[in-house]
Amino acid sequence: SGFSDDNSKWLAPAKAKKTQPKGNHVELSSDGEVEEGSWEMEEDEDGSSEEEIVDDYGAASSEEEELLPIEKAALKQKPESEDDSEEEDEEEEEEEEEAEAGSKQKMGQKEEEGPDLQLNLDIDEKFKLPTSEEIEKEDILFILFPPAEPPDLQVIHQRIQGNMEVLQDFGVKREEGRSRQEYLALLRRDMAAYYSYSDFLLTKLMDIFPLPELVNFLEANEVPRPVTIRTNTLKTRRRDLAQALINRGVNLDPLGKWSKTGLVIYDSTVPIGATPEYLAGHYMLQGASSLLPVMALAPQENERILDMCCAPGGKTSYIAQLMKNTGMILANDSSAERLRSVVGNLHRLGVTNAVVSNCDGRQFPKVLGGFDRVLLDAPCSGTGVISKDPAVKTNKDEMDILRCAHLQKELILSAIDSVNAASETGGYIVYCTCSIMVEENEWVVDYALKKRNVRLVPTGLDFGKEGFTRFKDRRFHPSLKSTRRFYPHTHNMDGFFIAKFKKFSNAIPQARKGNTGSKAEEEQKLPQPALKKKHSCEGSKAEEEQKLPQPALKKKHLLQAQRRPIKA
């Protein structure tokens, strides 16, 4: 072989290439050395062997002799793990081949049954209404055995979309024998589960909005409204404030063409409520919808104005800056705790024409009256600000809505009575709520139109949806078209309602106020001639009885009681 037996032991590995064919492994002796026959020589076509240099010094043969006992044990275990991994690889390859063969077979079947399969898909795509038994079973199982995981929202969402498609083209897509009410009941149930609303509130919202708009409204309530600020023009200009905030790393834009003072904040590297500009009173953190009532009120300089429910003071300070700190503003609120924030904001913003009072708004005409304008931002259920307070979704019921509506009716009458109709520049009342319920808005406004000498006038806002003149079985005054509604999904601001009244007489209508009880209801049902005859008969009887002396009157009543026929 070209070398002697003496040096064959350490030269042989340098000429050999270590190969490990599939299924074979290197055999080690008890002392860790490689046994003879475990190396294979790879020869070229001409019979000469390839030489591989293990390292630059040719000293690779003595590496195994220098190994520690623990390293030798590791070498013994390594070939066994390699054998196991090779067997696993072979099994995986066999499984992949079987899977490919099965998929090819299925593809062949699909190609043969193409038309039938497509027909089945079309049938499955149609929305099928679950039976009442299935729905009851789901409810019972959910109550008795609550699932460990919440329901699959993706499945519910797909069912909502399928149901909506059927309801939009109900005559064509509905199942035979199924009514529209069944589809609506399932839709309400699914929406309540998907968006986490109470059944009561969702029913109310379904009465207000058409179905496609309802989904947009519910989706908009899941997203917070943009952060907006109002420039305090008593201390700075909007352009200067915007430049100062941009220099501090605030990304902002003007709020819109309708506002000269508003700015919308997209993002900021500094807290908006703690900048030096904020602390100096250059701006107020205020929602876009809260600017609208003051713009509708349109206060003039040197007027006397009442803000009946003023906390936390955003609208009051906006009124002051429009009046340029002239005239007088009475900022009232029934909560002493909330008035602390009002006082702090008025001081910070530099308002000097405001007087703060803590009174019940319902007692206000007795406390002070004769105002030129009154702003009533009435307490409400908060159904327009669900994105700020998600608890409204579940914690409101019928009694809460009616309780709010009753309080609002009392407050609006007090607000109207506090205004002087003979004011040269004013005589206006603005009523607003952050609710979208008809019971708290159009219903209250219609009540005020009947009870006081006021009429509705345009709000002066060139956007927003018109108020309802009819809702379900109720009919309101036609002038309610001049009221305005604002929604999160259409105007990207909190839900809001605004109505503007003009008072034309300080007198309180007595005819509407006097008739109460069942007698008034009976008289309303009678036709006009019969009503006149009834009043004349009652008047003549009363005059006759007054002329008779007291003993004769008693005797007459006794005789009338005796003559009265006995009822069967």
Side-chain angles (χ1 to χ4, degrees):
S1 61
F3 51 87
S4 64
D5 294 335
D6 297 329
N7 59 5
S8 63
K9 287 184 179 179
W10 66 273
L11 285 176
K15 291 183 178 180
K17 183 178 179 181
K18 201 187 298 183
T19 59
Q20 190 174 343
K22 199 167 187 180
N24 298 330
H25 60 277
V26 178
E27 295 178 0
L28 297 176
S29 63
S30 59
D31 59 352
E33 292 182 354
V34 181
E35 292 183 356
E36 293 183 4
S38 64
W39 297 94
E40 291 181 6
M41 302 293 292
E42 291 186 358
E43 296 183 352
D44 295 334
E45 292 177 359
D46 58 353
S48 63
S49 61
E50 293 180 354
E51 292 185 359
E52 288 189 1
I53 299 172
V54 178
D55 57 21
D56 293 340
Y57 305 102
S61 61
S62 61
E63 283 181 1
E64 292 180 358
E65 296 176 359
E66 296 174 1
L67 291 176
L68 295 171
I70 193 168
E71 291 176 328
K72 291 176 182 178
L75 281 173
K76 287 180 182 179
Q77 292 176 359
K78 189 175 180 182
E80 294 174 4
S81 63
E82 287 177 358
D83 286 346
D84 295 339
S85 64
E86 284 179 3
E87 289 174 5
E88 289 174 3
D89 293 340
E90 287 176 2
E91 290 175 3
E92 287 177 3
E93 286 175 4
E94 288 174 4
E95 288 175 2
E96 287 175 4
E97 288 173 2
E98 289 175 5
E100 286 176 6
S103 63
K104 285 178 182 177
Q105 190 177 356
K106 287 179 182 177
M107 288 294 288
Q109 290 176 359
K110 284 184 181 179
E111 288 172 3
E112 292 172 3
E113 301 173 0
D116 297 335
L117 185 62
Q118 187 64 36
L119 183 62
N120 291 336
L121 284 172
D122 292 341
I123 292 167
D124 291 340
E125 282 176 3
K126 288 185 179 178
F127 176 73
K128 289 184 179 179
L129 196 69
T131 61
S132 57
E133 290 82 6
E134 289 174 356
I135 293 171
E136 286 177 8
K137 189 177 179 182
E138 282 181 16
D139 292 339
I140 291 167
L141 287 172
F142 187 81
I143 293 166
L144 295 177
F145 307 104
E149 296 180 0
D152 191 351
L153 295 180
Q154 190 173 1
V155 174
I156 296 174
H157 189 249
Q158 287 174 355
R159 197 158 61 184
I160 289 170
Q161 288 178 333
N163 203 338
M164 294 276 288
E165 289 175 6
V166 173
L167 288 168
Q168 286 173 4
D169 193 3
F170 190 68
V172 178
K173 296 183 178 180
R174 75 185 182 112
E175 289 182 45
E176 290 185 6
R178 292 302 187 99
S179 66
R180 190 180 185 87
Q181 294 302 321
E182 291 179 80
Y183 281 90
L184 288 171
L186 178 66
L187 182 66
R188 184 171 65 247
R189 182 173 173 273
D190 286 342
M191 281 184 167
Y194 187 76
Y195 294 104
S196 305
Y197 281 78
S198 65
D199 190 63
F200 160 75
L201 186 56
L202 205 57
T203 305
K204 288 283 185 187
L205 295 175
M206 288 177 80
D207 292 337
I208 294 172
F209 296 108
L211 288 178
E213 193 176 358
L214 173 62
V215 174
N216 294 335
F217 174 77
L218 297 176
E219 289 288 348
N221 284 336
E222 303 302 311
V223 182
R225 304 276 76 76
V227 178
T228 54
I229 61 173
R230 172 182 55 80
T231 310
N232 180 21
T233 54
L234 295 173
K235 292 194 173 186
T236 186
R237 295 184 300 175
R238 184 168 72 168
R239 185 190 310 164
D240 299 337
L241 174 64
Q243 190 59 54
L245 292 177
I246 288 168
N247 292 341
R248 293 192 184 279
V250 181
N251 185 12
L252 51 81
D253 264 336
L255 182 54
K257 293 181 180 178
W258 55 271
S259 174
K260 295 180 180 179
T261 58
L263 290 168
V264 58
I265 308 294
Y266 297 117
D267 57 70
S268 173
T269 57
V270 293
I272 294 297
T275 61
E277 287 77 18
Y278 176 83
L279 298 173
H282 290 188
Y283 64 89
M284 175 80 176
L285 278 164
Q286 194 169 2
S289 55
S290 297
L291 305 178
L292 301 173
V294 180
M295 293 170 65
L297 186 67
Q300 306 298 312
E301 295 181 25
N302 298 308
E303 283 186 336
R304 299 173 74 241
I305 293 179
L306 169 63
D307 188 356
M308 193 171 274
C309 305
C310 68
K315 297 180 185 69
T316 307
S317 57
Y318 192 16
I319 293 169
Q321 80 177 45
L322 291 177
M323 295 172 66
K324 299 177 182 176
N325 263 342
T326 62
M328 189 275 287
I329 303 169
L330 186 59
N332 178 73
D333 202 275
S334 61
S335 171
E337 291 293 324
R338 300 188 73 197
L339 281 175
R340 293 179 182 177
S341 61
V342 176
V343 172
N345 282 324
L346 294 181
H347 281 302
R348 181 176 59 82
L349 296 165
V351 175
T352 58
N353 63 340
V355 178
V356 179
S357 69
N358 178 25
C359 299
D360 187 347
R362 292 171 289 187
Q363 304 298 323
F364 223 83
K366 299 173 186 175
V367 176
L368 192 63
F371 292 96
D372 296 310
R373 297 171 198 257
V374 173
L375 173 63
L376 173 58
D377 184 6
C380 64
S381 61
T383 51
V385 289
I386 293 174
S387 61
K388 289 182 183 175
D389 184 14
V392 177
K393 292 179 180 181
T394 53
N395 66 3
K396 300 296 177 187
D397 58 8
E398 185 75 33
M399 286 307 298
D400 291 322
I401 304 295
L402 295 177
R403 199 179 295 113
C404 284
H406 181 71
L407 176 61
Q408 288 156 355
K409 287 174 182 177
E410 291 180 313
L411 287 171
I412 197 169
L413 294 185
S414 298
I416 292 168
D417 293 342
S418 300
V419 171
N420 180 20
S423 169
E424 295 179 0
T425 58
Y428 294 99
I429 305 100
V430 168
Y431 171 79
C432 62
T433 67
C434 56
S435 171
I436 59 169
M437 293 287 117
V438 176
E439 290 85 349
E440 299 179 75
N441 297 327
E442 285 86 355
W443 198 345
V444 175
V445 170
D446 191 63
Y447 172 83
L449 291 173
K450 292 175 182 175
K451 292 291 182 183
R452 294 292 185 270
N453 291 320
V454 291
R455 63 173 181 269
L456 284 170
V457 295
T459 57
L461 304 169
D462 55 357
F463 67 106
K465 293 194 173 184
E466 293 180 353
F468 294 112
T469 55
R470 54 189 296 168
F471 179 74
K472 296 175 74 172
D473 58 342
R474 289 194 164 272
R475 301 293 178 270
F476 303 118
H477 198 274
S479 63
L480 263 87
K481 281 187 176 179
S482 60
T483 62
R484 286 289 175 268
R485 281 176 162 265
F486 301 90
Y487 297 124
H489 61 285
T490 52
H491 308 101
N492 200 19
M493 59 178 68
D494 293 326
F496 227 75
F497 174 83
I498 297 174
K500 186 175 184 179
F501 297 93
K502 175 75 169 86
K503 188 174 181 181
F504 55 85
S505 172
N506 287 326
I508 297 172
Q510 295 297 325
R512 297 174 189 171
K513 187 181 177 182
N515 294 333
T516 56
S518 59
K519 190 177 178 183
E521 291 174 4
E522 286 174 8
E523 289 183 356
Q524 284 176 2
K525 291 176 185 176
L526 289 171
Q528 201 66 19
L531 191 63
K532 285 181 181 177
K533 190 176 179 181
K534 182 184 176 185
H535 285 317
S536 62
C537 291
E538 285 177 357
S540 60
K541 281 181 185 178
E543 287 172 6
E544 287 176 8
E545 286 180 357
Q546 283 177 2
K547 289 176 184 178
L548 288 170
Q550 198 69 15
L553 188 62
K554 286 181 181 179
K555 192 175 181 181
K556 184 183 175 184
H557 287 168
L558 187 64
L559 288 170
Q560 283 176 353
Q562 289 174 356
R563 287 174 191 170
R564 209 169 282 161
I566 299 167
K567 291 182 180 179

